[in-house]
Amino acid sequence: MIRLTVNGIEHTAEPAGAESLLATLRDRLGLAGSKDACEQGECGSCSVIMDGELVCSCLVMAADADGSEITTVEGLAPAGELHPVQRALVEAHGVQCGYCTPGFAVAAAHLFEREPSPSADDIKEALSGNICRCTGYGAILRALTGLAGEEP
Amino acid sequence: MEIARPTDLAGVLDALDADPAATLLAGGTDLMVEVTYGGRRPASVVALRRVDELATWEGRTIGSGVTWARIEHGPVRALAQAARTVGSPQIRSAGTIGGNLGTASPAGDGLPFLAAVDASVVLASTAGRRTLRWDEFLTGPKQNALQPGEVIVGVELPEHLPERQEFAKIGARNAMVISVASACLVREAGGATRIALGSVGPTPVRARRAEEMISAEPSPSPAAVAEFGRLVAEEVSPITDHRSTAEYRRHASGVLARRLLERCL
């Protein structure tokens, strides 16, 4: 039995063996916003914020996450609202198939929390662990540089 | 699966004493891939990330639990350069220098630096501590001298580190890439030079003939720099695998060696 605070709400869960935090979030807590793609930390689509750090939830053993505070894409903004990075992605059409979008949104939100006006290079660096296989990087970068008040 | 989540080193050692075969878990960035893709099913785990003593960096002693994210912004130039090439921000915030040693992959990005400066690895168990030089600890590809019941406490750097030190790595792209070849070169103002290369042998490779040759050159000519690169390429022992060929890795080793030397002159 583990205890997690996810998006401000306390949960208990019973992960099976060495299952990942991603599996626990999606399959046991019903939070399917974090996407399951490469399952080896290459693609960033499962990114969550754990105790203030951006991590790939597929690489966190759920049993070792006991006691931690997690923010998933569902918790970036109150229900029915958008986080500024999500609004920026919508407005700049920074979404194609959308599968990578939750991971990009979480990584970008984590960046803007620490650095409200990042440079274009800061943004590229912060998103270097997120892959968009539609290769929609141009629109994603335009969305976030716009939010930062930077020229892309 | 049993899991122990000790909060201090004594608790880690007790847990390992009770269950010496337990799997050690630090950042999880290697272990979880083995769980997901390699079918690894640890019967018991000792999780290390709550142990502050392991996450401490004091002077020349870097705790095994210090993450690449911290090392990237730390004071040791070439090690910071290496840290910046580890995975992605997500990987660097979880992965640790102790994990690099525990996994002992030939491609471990932090290992060439440790080899170039002749760092030591400190291990502990309930029987006590022992300190091994990097080449006593790293015994082969994914093999190290860690015994059941032991944990990696940290890395000890030598008292003096050369100010001129550079790391570089070659991969298919800049971000989120496992190295095809990597190298770390350190050089004293007087010329004494050491170079270690990663991903071109079963463990990091020190190119000792090349070191000896270039250490005798206080201000190397272009011909001496070229000869240094040639010797380094001769001394590595790369293989062909899914990431690259032995021929390319040998060539790349020479290029990296020349480039890093030029940056240190």
Side-chain angles (χ1 to χ4, degrees):
Chain A
M1 176 78 79
I2 58 164
R3 285 187 170 73
L4 298 174
T5 304
V6 186
N7 305 327
I9 297 169
E10 285 186 34
H11 294 270
T12 57
E14 197 86 55
E19 82 175 25
S20 68
L21 176 63
L22 175 63
T24 302
L25 291 171
R26 287 177 58 88
D27 303 339
R28 301 187 193 280
L29 303 184
L31 293 166
S34 307
K35 295 299 178 234
D36 182 348
C38 78
E39 283 197 283
Q40 53 181 308
E42 297 265 353
C43 78
S45 65
C46 67
S47 297
V48 302
I49 300 165
M50 178 173 163
D51 295 333
E53 303 281 353
L54 183 71
V55 297
C56 290
S57 58
C58 74
L59 296 182
V60 175
M61 192 182 285
D64 189 33
D66 181 50
S68 59
E69 289 198 19
I70 314 278
T71 302
T72 69
V73 68
E74 289 94 338
L76 290 185
E81 293 177 34
L82 294 177
H83 186 280
V85 302
Q86 291 172 308
R87 189 173 311 114
L89 287 167
V90 170
E91 286 169 1
H93 303 289
V95 177
Q96 287 191 39
C97 85
Y99 204 77
C100 69
T101 308
F104 271 100
V106 171
H110 182 252
L111 168 66
F112 277 83
E113 203 170 284
R114 289 170 299 137
E115 172 56 69
S117 46
S119 68
D121 280 348
D122 292 338
I123 293 169
K124 286 181 195 169
E125 185 85 28
L127 300 181
S128 61
N130 294 76
I131 289 176
C132 168
R133 285 297 76 159
C134 306
T135 68
Y137 298 107
I140 293 169
L141 191 60
R142 275 194 297 281
L144 298 174
T145 48
L147 184 61
E150 284 276 322
E151 290 297 308
Chain B
M1 187 190 80
E2 297 291 315
I3 184 165
R5 293 179 288 251
T7 54
D8 59 19
L9 184 56
V12 173
L13 300 183
D14 286 345
L16 287 173
D17 193 43
D19 183 6
T23 298
L24 292 162
L25 170 65
T29 57
D30 286 327
L31 179 62
M32 288 304 289
V33 177
E34 286 182 33
V35 166
T36 303
Y37 284 90
R40 187 156 165 190
R41 297 289 175 266
S44 56
V45 167
V46 176
L48 303 173
R49 69 180 184 89
R50 290 166 185 78
V51 183
D52 288 343
E53 289 149 282
L54 297 179
T56 304
W57 183 346
E58 276 181 6
R60 58 194 189 90
T61 306
I62 306 175
S64 57
V66 175
T67 62
W68 298 113
R70 276 177 66 194
I71 295 171
E72 186 182 354
H73 298 107
V76 182
R77 177 182 170 83
L79 189 58
Q81 290 171 329
R84 190 166 176 269
T85 74
V86 174
S88 62
Q90 287 91 327
I91 304 293
R92 296 198 286 276
S93 65
T96 63
I97 191 167
N100 233 196
L101 288 160
T103 296
S105 162
D109 290 315
L111 303 180
F113 172 83
L114 299 180
V117 303
D118 275 329
S120 295
V121 183
V122 181
L123 309 174
S125 70
T126 47
R129 288 193 177 216
R130 59 189 186 122
T131 301
L132 299 181
R133 221 174 67 163
W134 69 274
D135 51 349
E136 297 168 327
F137 180 78
L138 296 169
T139 52
K142 300 214 166 183
Q143 285 162 22
N144 62 40
L146 191 74
Q147 294 299 307
E150 275 186 320
V151 64
I152 303 168
V153 176
V155 162
E156 252 179 40
L157 305 182
E159 265 177 58
H160 166 76
L161 289 178
E163 247 177 65
R164 300 170 193 192
Q165 41 174 276
E166 293 285 335
F167 171 89
K169 156 174 158 180
I170 291 177
R173 61 192 188 119
N174 271 334
M176 196 60 237
V177 73
I178 295 175
S179 79
V180 160
S182 67
C184 180
L185 185 144
V186 300
R187 185 167 164 94
E188 304 284 1
T193 299
R194 285 171 286 170
I195 183 168
L197 298 102
S199 292
V200 291
T203 62
V205 177
R206 282 278 295 275
R208 295 186 192 271
R209 281 195 300 129
E211 288 178 358
E212 197 179 326
M213 173 257 148
I214 204 68
S215 293
E217 301 271 355
S219 38
S221 65
V225 173
E227 174 63 5
F228 175 67
R230 197 188 63 76
L231 285 175
V232 168
E234 249 180 38
E235 283 185 80
V236 296
S237 48
I239 58 168
T240 295
D241 64 11
H242 61 290
R243 227 167 267 130
S244 189
T245 63
E247 292 74 16
Y248 180 73
R249 285 187 159 115
R250 191 176 294 283
H251 169 77
S253 297
V255 175
L256 280 173
R258 289 202 308 270
R259 234 175 246 177
L260 295 183
L261 176 61
E262 278 164 358
R263 288 177 193 171
C264 285
L265 294 178

